[in-house]
Amino acid sequence: MAVLPIKLTKTNRDKLAQVLWVLNWISVVTGIILFSLGIFLKVEINKRQDLMAESQLQSVPNMLIAVGLIACVINFLGGKICYDCVDTNKFLRWKLVMLPYIICTFFFTLSVLVGALMCYSMHGQLEEALTLGLRDAMRYYKDTDTPGRCFLKRTVDQLQIQFQCCGNKGYRDWFQIQWVSNRYLDMSQREVVDRLRSNVEGKYLMDGVPFSCCNVNSPRPCIQYQITNNSAYFNYDYQTEELNLWMRGCRQALLDYYTNIMHSVGLTVLIIWLFELSVLTGVRYLQTSLENVLRQGDPESESDGWLLENSFVETARSNFNIIKHLGKFNQINISTSVSLIYPPKRLF
């Protein structure tokens, strides 16, 4: 029994072909949109590549770019096919092509769905890349005279100012690393020398943060040094008073930023997938109805169209049998080839 059968008259088939011709051209535009989304996502990731560890984050934009280009080609061809299907005689030239075209389009549509799901499943991978990348960027913050790292101070400062964040998980992350270069430390001061000697690794650690952590909305002048020393400032208690620093960590700020982008892109790709699926469904109805017209031999007659000629179970079983027979055929060919190369020895 056919799956979702419908009856189409000659007028209905012509209208369906014309509508599908228009929809295929719209699908070319959606392919351009997919391509543009991939480029946009790639640019956004590359903007802060220095703050991310090496990962497979580029796989999503690369897939969207590839799918967008394929969509333009497939839907351009689909528009040409649907345009010719208005005339039953012209359909004959595409008769052998349409089924392979529909199968290829089905797998392409499936790849669009995979692209949408990948946008929603990147959260964990993105969080790990940002955690490791920000950790290394903060570690090399002081290396302003080291080739390959001299730009990281400016990058981190711009990040903290733009996203109103501080540190990796929070401002206390700066307490655990030396973010002031030794060339800016006065070694003649005993306090500096004692602080360096008190650390096992010889690092100059302090309860301070870079200037870019300061909250510009705070009415109080920024307290960025001796943050945990209540006696260092008048009327100050760092445990009870809201600090005039950005409280949110930069990892969470960037994670929220990219998650919003990914969800927006994923939703757009999902809508495009539904649209492509509807176009594919229409093309399938058009193909099956026109093939039935050819079987009947009357171009003006009413014909049946369907998604599958048999039920899902029967279709799956027949395809499995085809694959099974192909496997047996390959085994026979291999056995024949082996016997030709190594003929059996005669006993007598």
Side-chain angles (χ1 to χ4, degrees), residues 136-183:
D136 293 338
M138 291 173 61
R139 184 185 301 169
Y140 303 135
Y141 179 87
K142 66 181 186 303
D143 299 338
T144 53
D145 56 347
T146 304
R149 300 177 184 173
C150 55
F151 60 89
L152 282 175
K153 179 183 181 301
R154 181 184 62 185
T155 302
V156 173
D157 284 333
Q158 288 178 344
L159 169 70
Q160 295 187 144
I161 293 172
Q162 180 182 355
F163 285 86
Q164 299 182 353
C165 59
C166 185
N168 194 334
K169 298 180 181 178
Y171 70 92
R172 286 184 174 273
D173 292 335
W174 290 107
F175 299 175
Q176 303 169 12
I177 63 172
Q178 179 181 342
W179 54 272
V180 178
S181 177
N182 284 340
R183 65 175 180 166

Side-chain angles (χ1 to χ4, degrees), residues 315-335:
T315 303
R317 186 184 295 114
S318 62
N319 289 332
F320 176 76
N321 290 332
I322 292 173
I323 296 173
K324 187 177 179 181
H325 289 316
L326 286 175
K328 289 182 178 179
F329 180 74
N330 289 333
Q331 289 179 354
I332 294 172
N333 285 339
I334 293 173
S335 301

